[in-house]
Amino acid sequence: MSVHPTLRYADPDAAIALLRDAFGFTVASAHRDDDGTVVHAELVHGSGAVLIGPRRDGDAFATGRAVVYCVVDDPDAHHARAVAAGATVVQELVDQPYGAREWAAVDGEDNVWSFGTHRPGAAGTLEA
């Protein structure tokens, strides 16, 4: 994968916990400063990764609200795991007209995490 979303959080540890426990991401690395604050973390999901950092005033890389889409093979099982972990679902499981099955949840800082079977850019999935 050559595109890596980067999100800034007021509470990076809470974001990492949700992504790991509810959404099944694996923490590849988490770098902390001397105070123990996460300064950079990389979490992987399948062949993709998301970068997490702290939100700081005046930071050129500060992000606002984001929507991130993640491909999963079994959205129903993924949804069940997230619900069991306490995720806040904002879109229940739905079969889309383009053939995907999807659902979505919001994290503690209003970012929307969408999960489904659609594989963007896959051969034969785009119309001219």
Side-chain angles (χ1 to χ4, degrees):
M1 178 167 175
S2 62
V3 177
H4 303 284
T6 302
L7 299 167
R8 302 292 193 217
Y9 286 91
D11 187 348
D13 282 311
I16 290 168
L18 178 73
L19 292 173
R20 181 192 61 224
D21 300 342
F23 300 155
F25 280 73
T26 300
V27 179
S29 66
H31 304 277
R32 297 176 181 276
D33 64 15
D34 293 338
D35 295 329
T37 301
V38 172
V39 294
H40 176 81
E42 297 178 10
L43 289 85
V44 296
H45 189 280
S47 64
V50 62
L51 310 178
I52 302 292
R55 182 175 292 127
R56 295 184 180 127
D57 290 336
D59 185 350
F61 294 99
T63 57
R65 185 173 187 224
V67 177
V68 180
Y69 181 81
C70 303
V71 176
V72 295
D73 292 327
D74 186 347
D76 293 80
H78 193 267
H79 175 270
R81 173 192 176 140
V83 169
T88 303
V89 175
V90 295
Q91 176 186 296
E92 289 295 340
L93 286 159
V94 62
D95 293 319
Q96 299 291 5
Y98 45 88
R101 183 154 176 82
E102 300 173 343
W103 75 278
V106 65
D107 67 23
E109 297 192 26
D110 293 328
N111 296 297
V112 178
W113 293 83
S114 180
F115 302 90
T117 57
H118 176 68
R119 295 186 183 278
T125 65
L126 302 177
E127 294 183 22

